[in-house]
Amino acid sequence: MSELEIIEAALFAAGRAVSLEKLMKITGMPKKNVSLVVRELMEAYSSRGSGIEILDLGERYVMQVKPEYSELMREVAPKELSAPKLRTLSMVAYHQPLLQSNLIEMRGSGAYDHIKDLIERGFVDSVPCGRSRQLSTTPLFADYFGLKRNDPNAIKEKIIELLKAQGGQSEIDLWIGKKIIAVTPMYESLMEMCGIKDYFVANAYCPSKEEISRLLEADVLVVTAGYLDAVKQHCDGEILEVRSTTFDDLIEAVSLLAEELPDEVNPKTVEKTLQKIRETREKYVSSALLVEKKVKPATEMVSKIVNDLNLRISTDGVLAAPDYGTSGKGVTIGKGAKILVPTHRTVEGDLLERVCKKYDSILEGLKNFEE
């Protein structure tokens, strides 16, 4: 049995990306040797005219059907369980019998779709139990995962055994309870504002191959509101949409994460963050009391800020518009505007700093006119 055969078998059996570290553990070889063997295997598949390919996702490797054959294989290939659905199924198996309401509390509202799919596939039974439903695994679950019997205790022991072999306690935490959180670059500072330590950053709007692979493993994805359709094709977990135009938007965003991710956020950090945002907002609103000049907002974004500052709005007021000039649809915005409000594309800093710069642009612009 050669190292090449072992790695080939591992990639075939995994059915998903396998990390370089995992292959090192399986083969007992150092990193450099594993990389060379994987490269040799990739070249072998490429040269033999196979319908299978091996992709390098950045020290993570996946064996898959070549894209040109994927549509032809749709009728014969089983629909695989995504990583989030597997974690939901693992929790049902580990804690069974498990109330659906308790599962949703642990996994988030995105688990409703997982439960529905798992029931339709025949892996999970669901029976009424008070105001909720009781979930448990089926004999098909045992058959699918190679277990001799559908006994809850045997299943729990098998899950722990597999997870310990894969990565010890950290792997158990990952599959039994802990959520994998993904966030777009703009909202990375939101993680710090909530005290969330474990997460990864990915461009969910236009992801790379490696990012797509990671996003499919995410239980929760945090994105800008309005981009749900653009990102849901890359994520099977729960998608949290947040806004960051005003101070109130930030308060809602922090509060949403605190509500949806109670085990991942730091309550003390959340409390301090909310207090800081409220105090900052009050300073700006107090400063706006001295401004008498009226404003003519060019967009809803600007209007939200103006209303939050309690400034007077008028059609003959000072025109204030976003600094991007042209919308995504090619429409010219705020031509001749006297005040340009910076957008996230043109300012740096954390979310709170970016919001402050927007408010500053309007207040400073109006004060210049009054002078």
Side-chain angles (χ1 to χ4, degrees), residues 332-343:
T332 300
I333 303 295
K335 184 177 181 180
K338 302 300 182 182
I339 297 175
L340 293 179
V341 181
T343 54

Side-chain angles (χ1 to χ4, degrees), residues 316-327:
D316 60 354
V318 179
L319 182 60
D323 63 358
Y324 52 71
T326 304
S327 71

Side-chain angles (χ1 to χ4, degrees), residues 80-304:
E80 294 183 357
L81 289 172
S82 64
K85 286 180 183 175
L86 270 174
R87 281 192 283 279
T88 297
L89 180 56
S90 294
M91 292 186 73
V92 172
Y94 185 84
H95 296 287
Q96 65 178 309
L98 176 64
L99 286 179
Q100 178 172 290
S101 56
N102 291 340
L103 177 62
I104 297 302
E105 184 177 339
M106 291 186 285
R107 298 285 293 146
S109 59
Y112 279 117
D113 289 335
H114 299 173
I115 296 168
K116 180 181 178 183
D117 187 49
L118 293 171
I119 292 173
E120 289 176 351
R121 289 171 183 249
F123 290 137
V124 171
D125 270 336
S126 173
V127 296
C129 184
R131 294 186 176 182
S132 185
R133 301 188 70 84
Q134 185 170 279
L135 307 174
S136 57
T137 58
T138 66
L140 178 61
F141 169 89
D143 293 341
Y144 186 87
F145 290 96
L147 301 174
K148 293 182 179 180
R149 62 188 190 280
N150 189 45
D151 175 67
N153 290 328
I155 290 172
K156 185 173 182 177
E157 290 174 3
K158 184 65 175 179
I159 289 174
I160 293 177
E161 175 189 332
L162 292 173
L163 295 179
K164 281 183 177 179
Q166 291 182 37
Q169 186 60 45
S170 62
E171 196 77 12
I172 294 175
D173 290 341
L174 176 67
W175 286 86
I176 299 304
K178 194 173 183 180
K179 293 181 179 178
I180 296 179
I181 302 172
V183 60
T184 54
M186 191 176 79
Y187 289 105
E188 183 173 5
S189 63
L190 182 61
M191 300 296 101
E192 183 179 345
M193 294 164 71
C194 293
I196 297 175
K197 302 294 185 181
D198 297 322
Y199 62 90
F200 69 88
V201 181
N203 177 11
Y205 313 112
C206 187
S208 64
K209 283 187 177 181
E210 181 180 358
E211 286 176 323
I212 289 175
S213 177
R214 297 199 70 191
L215 286 169
L216 288 173
E217 296 178 354
D219 297 303
V220 178
L221 171 62
V222 182
V223 300
T224 300
Y227 288 87
L228 179 62
D229 290 337
V231 303
K232 65 182 180 181
Q233 59 182 313
H234 306 306
C235 181
D236 193 43
E238 183 177 9
I239 299 175
L240 300 181
E241 297 182 275
V242 296
R243 294 179 172 82
S244 55
T245 297
T246 67
F247 294 114
D248 281 343
D249 287 339
L250 295 187
I251 291 173
E252 289 180 9
V254 173
S255 300
L256 176 64
L257 265 61
E259 179 182 347
E260 295 292 331
L261 304 171
D263 296 329
E264 282 75 20
V265 302
N266 184 313
K268 290 185 178 179
T269 302
V270 168
E271 184 179 349
K272 289 181 180 178
T273 296
L274 291 175
Q275 182 178 352
K276 182 178 180 180
I277 296 172
R278 293 187 180 106
E279 289 176 350
T280 304
R281 178 185 178 277
E282 286 302 316
K283 291 179 182 179
Y284 276 91
V285 173
S286 297
S287 179
L289 292 174
L290 303 175
V291 178
E292 296 182 359
K293 204 72 177 176
K294 298 177 181 178
V295 189
K296 179 182 178 182
T299 65
E300 182 180 353
M301 181 201 84
V302 178
S303 181
K304 287 180 65 176

